Amino acid sequence: MDVGRCFLFLLLPSFFFFPSQTQSSDSFTSVLVSQNGLDFVKNLLVNKAIASIIPLQIPRIEKSVKIPFLGGIDVVVSNLTIYELDVASSYVKLGETGVVIVASGTTCNLSMNWHYSYSTWLPPIEISDQGIASVQVQGMEIGLSLGLKTDEGGLKLSLSECGCHVEDITIQLQGGASWFYQGMVNAFKDQIGSSVESTIAKKLTEGVSDLDSFLQNLPKEIPVDDNAALNVTFTSDPILRNSSITFEIDGLFTKGETNQVLKSFFRKSLSLVICPRNSKMLGISVDEAVFNSAAALYYNADFVQWVVDKIPEQALLNTARWRFIIPQLYKKYPNQDMSLNISLSSPPRVKISEQYVGANVNADLVINVLDASQVIPVACISLTIRGSGALRVMGNNLGGSVSLEDFSMSLKWSNIGNLHLHLLQPIVWTVIQTVFVPYANDHLEKGFPLPIIHGFTLQNAEIICSSSEITVCSDVAYLDSSQQPQWRLKLPRSTTWKPNLL
């Protein structure tokens, strides 16, 4: 990777999946990169850029010079190569329209071959000499200014300004009569300096162009599983401040045309991402609408239906155990096995506040009697389940768990007469605790991916809850691509699930 591409590729974690200049009502996830985060990216950028630029070949230089008593001499400097580069200091600064990165006090060492020749007129013979030389460039400053805009849901990167300035050059010849020709080769200082400046600037310009093409081809979705993806389109231009840059993305779970329905239902404006004392590199804010969009998507895809025919206390699934709870059931179907169908009657709703993360789930519980090869529905109970949640960051995923707070019941219909629901409460509680909650936690603990580019991972993450959103405040670490885990959630394809909890 050349210096320009590396220079910009490493900036990518700062703005890979997330923008906004004024906050958009179509944005449900925001990412703030603090000054600490910008400095981290800048330091990584400088180190990787140096590694990618070495060795860097400089075009050959030819020049004719006049030497007293000898006349015109043709001199060629070739194989001019930068083999070492050291940056004394660097900084990143945010302007109104983009990012500026400057590396100053830079020195680099070069090697080169030199050759001269001239012809005498009396007698007509050609005289030549050659050798090698070492070159040290001092006081070099490299600067790059980038413009950031959104373009049709993607990120448009433009080069506003690019430059490289060399302050001083020292050339030391070796080989041949180098002591005699030192002054002659010193005449190449300006040309060597100009060649170094133009070559580095050209590499940076090429890198910007390559990365802009790369950004234009970024996927607009992150696959979550076979049924869902995260919409990661940019919704507005970046917000640039003195010491931070904020990006906004759509962030909702989506599948085809479903996404538009969810957008119109969940549309809400995000508040600014705030992490205490801005001590962390990143702040990722996720609105509760993201969780609700996931719930609605899986609800619409019929992934919220369970058939319960095995539980730890299996005798509960026989009418004999219900003869005192629902006598008419046992009278009509004595000693018959039973099953329970649980299906959601509406998408679960997640609510986030400063003190609480909770969910309300509306479900229908159908009581079935298994008579030979028949499944006979006998009653349906409507449930309103209230749970509390705990969130945690696992790698680059946001996951969690849920626990049962309480629930309420009402009879929806019955083929066996009226039911005393308060007598059913212990059985329903057992079913929810041993079937519904473990199933939910099995998938919640896997979580879903936060918008972090491959090669980087969150470290020392903290979660802060506020009104209708959570914020993940975290540092980041860089990993080689071979170390970055791939994540993909797998859900069962069938719309029914039979838990075996024995």
Side-chain angles (χ1 to χ4, degrees):
M1 183 184 297
D2 62 48
V3 63
R5 187 179 179 89
C6 181
F7 197 97
L8 298 169
F9 180 77
L10 288 165
L11 269 179
L12 202 54
S14 298
F15 39 76
F16 186 63
F17 279 130
F18 349 93
S20 82
Q21 182 65 30
T22 58
Q23 290 202 299
S24 168
S25 61
D26 291 332
S27 172
F28 301 92
T29 300
S30 293
V31 172
L32 179 144
V33 184
S34 70
Q35 187 63 54
N36 287 341
L38 292 170
D39 290 339
F40 170 81
V41 174
K42 179 262 300 178
N43 291 335
L44 181 61
L45 168 65
V46 169
N47 291 334
K48 291 294 183 179
I50 291 173
S52 69
I53 198 175
I54 304 302
L56 180 62
Q57 198 77 26
I58 307 297
R60 62 184 280 153
I61 302 171
E62 299 182 8
K63 188 174 183 179
S64 294
V65 297
K66 289 187 177 296
I67 303 295
F69 307 110
L70 297 179
I73 298 179
D74 296 323
V75 183
V76 177
V77 172
S78 61
N79 200 26
L80 188 60
T81 305
I82 298 176
Y83 65 87
E84 185 178 13
L85 192 147
D86 180 67
V87 176
S89 63
S90 59
Y91 66 87
V92 56
K93 192 170 183 63
L94 300 175
E96 292 184 359
T97 59
V99 179
V100 175
I101 300 178
V102 174
S104 59
T106 303
T107 61
C108 65
N109 295 318
L110 302 87
S111 61
M112 71 177 193
N113 297 335
W114 59 269
H115 175 271
Y116 83 89
S117 64
Y118 69 93
S119 298
T120 62
W121 59 276
L122 189 65
I125 59 174
E126 182 178 86
I127 299 175
S128 64
D129 200 358
Q130 63 183 7
I132 61 174
S134 59
V135 181
Q136 185 175 60
V137 177
Q138 297 175 317
M140 183 166 62
E141 187 168 286
I142 304 170
L144 186 69
S145 177
L146 302 173
L148 298 173
K149 296 288 183 181
T150 55
D151 181 24
E152 297 182 353
L155 187 63
K156 177 68 176 177
L157 187 67
S158 61
L159 180 63
S160 304
E161 189 175 353
C162 176
C164 176
H165 174 70
V166 172
E167 182 69 23
D168 187 39
I169 290 182
T170 301
I171 303 175
Q172 184 63 47
L173 271 65
Q174 303 171 32
S178 56
W179 61 271
F180 183 75
Y181 301 112
Q182 182 71 51
M184 175 189 68
V185 176
N186 281 345
F188 281 80
K189 280 185 177 181
D190 290 343
Q191 284 182 280
I192 293 175
S194 295
S195 294
V196 170
E197 292 171 349
S198 61
T199 300
I200 291 179
K202 181 181 178 182
K203 289 292 183 182
L204 291 174
T205 302
E206 292 174 353
V208 173
S209 178
D210 290 345
L211 185 54
D212 179 55
S213 298
F214 172 73
L215 292 175
Q216 295 303 309
N217 292 314
L218 284 176
K220 300 298 192 297
E221 295 180 342
I222 302 176
V224 174
D225 57 36
D226 294 333
N227 302 282
L230 281 175
N231 183 338
V232 290
T233 54
F234 297 86
T235 58
S236 57
D237 293 333
I239 298 175
L240 301 174
R241 297 185 176 87
N242 289 336
S243 59
S244 67
I245 181 170
T246 302
F247 303 89
E248 291 186 355
I249 61 172
D250 180 288
L252 294 180
F253 280 69
T254 179
K255 182 178 182 181
E257 67 279 0
T258 307
N259 185 52
Q260 185 58 45
V261 176
L262 295 175
K263 273 190 171 183
S264 61
F265 185 74
F266 290 116
R267 183 165 294 181
K268 188 180 292 185
S269 182
L270 278 173
S271 64
L272 293 177
V273 179
I274 298 177
C275 290
R277 302 176 301 279
N278 286 326
S279 58
K280 298 294 186 178
M281 298 178 186
L282 291 178
I284 305 173
S285 179
V286 181
D287 190 87
E288 64 185 28
V290 173
F291 304 97
N292 288 324
S293 71
L297 186 145
Y298 288 110
Y299 172 80
N300 293 335
D302 293 329
F303 273 90
V304 284
Q305 184 179 158
W306 301 271
V307 176
V308 181
D309 57 8
K310 295 184 187 301
I311 58 176
E313 194 175 348
Q314 188 65 25
L316 283 174
L317 293 182
N318 188 282
T319 58
R321 287 293 298 270
W322 296 59
R323 63 184 182 274
F324 299 117
I325 301 172
I326 311 177
Q328 61 270 36
L329 173 64
Y330 178 72
K331 183 177 180 179
K332 190 172 184 178
Y333 302 102
N335 297 313
Q336 294 291 311
D337 288 333
M338 303 167 59
S339 68
L340 304 174
N341 278 19
I342 303 176
S343 60
L344 299 190
S345 55
S346 63
R349 293 304 306 269
V350 176
K351 184 65 177 176
I352 300 173
S353 66
E354 291 184 11
Q355 296 83 21
Y356 181 79
V357 177
N360 289 340
V361 180
N362 295 316
D364 289 337
L365 173 63
V366 177
I367 302 171
N368 300 311
V369 173
L370 306 180
D371 186 10
S373 60
Q374 282 188 307
V375 177
I376 305 172
V378 296
C380 178
I381 299 171
S382 293
L383 304 174
T384 298
I385 304 169
R386 288 171 288 276
S388 60
L391 298 171
R392 60 181 177 272
V393 176
M394 302 159 292
N396 288 346
N397 294 343
L398 178 62
S401 60
V402 65
S403 58
L404 176 63
E405 291 287 319
D406 57 44
F407 69 95
S408 59
M409 301 186 296
S410 63
L411 183 62
K412 192 169 185 178
W413 56 263
S414 173
N415 295 330
I416 52 175
N418 195 28
L419 306 181
H420 298 289
L421 294 181
H422 67 281
L423 298 177
L424 283 173
Q425 190 170 17
I427 294 177
V428 176
W429 180 280
T430 299
V431 171
I432 294 174
Q433 284 282 45
T434 59
V435 176
F436 185 81
V437 172
Y439 178 81
N441 286 336
D442 183 55
H443 296 289
L444 289 174
E445 70 180 8
K446 297 180 177 70
F448 65 89
L450 292 167
I452 300 295
I453 188 174
H454 287 300
F456 290 79
T457 184
L458 299 177
Q459 281 194 338
N460 304 318
E462 302 174 3
I463 296 178
I464 300 173
C465 294
S466 58
S467 177
S468 78
E469 66 185 36
I470 65 102
T471 299
V472 177
C473 299
S474 180
D475 292 326
V476 296
Y478 175 71
L479 300 175
D480 293 331
S481 57
S482 59
Q483 297 175 282
Q484 184 71 9
Q486 298 291 323
W487 182 89
R488 189 170 172 86
L489 174 64
K490 287 291 184 183
L491 288 175
R493 289 186 176 274
S494 65
T495 58
T496 61
W497 179 69
K498 296 185 178 182
N500 187 347
L501 303 173
L502 292 177

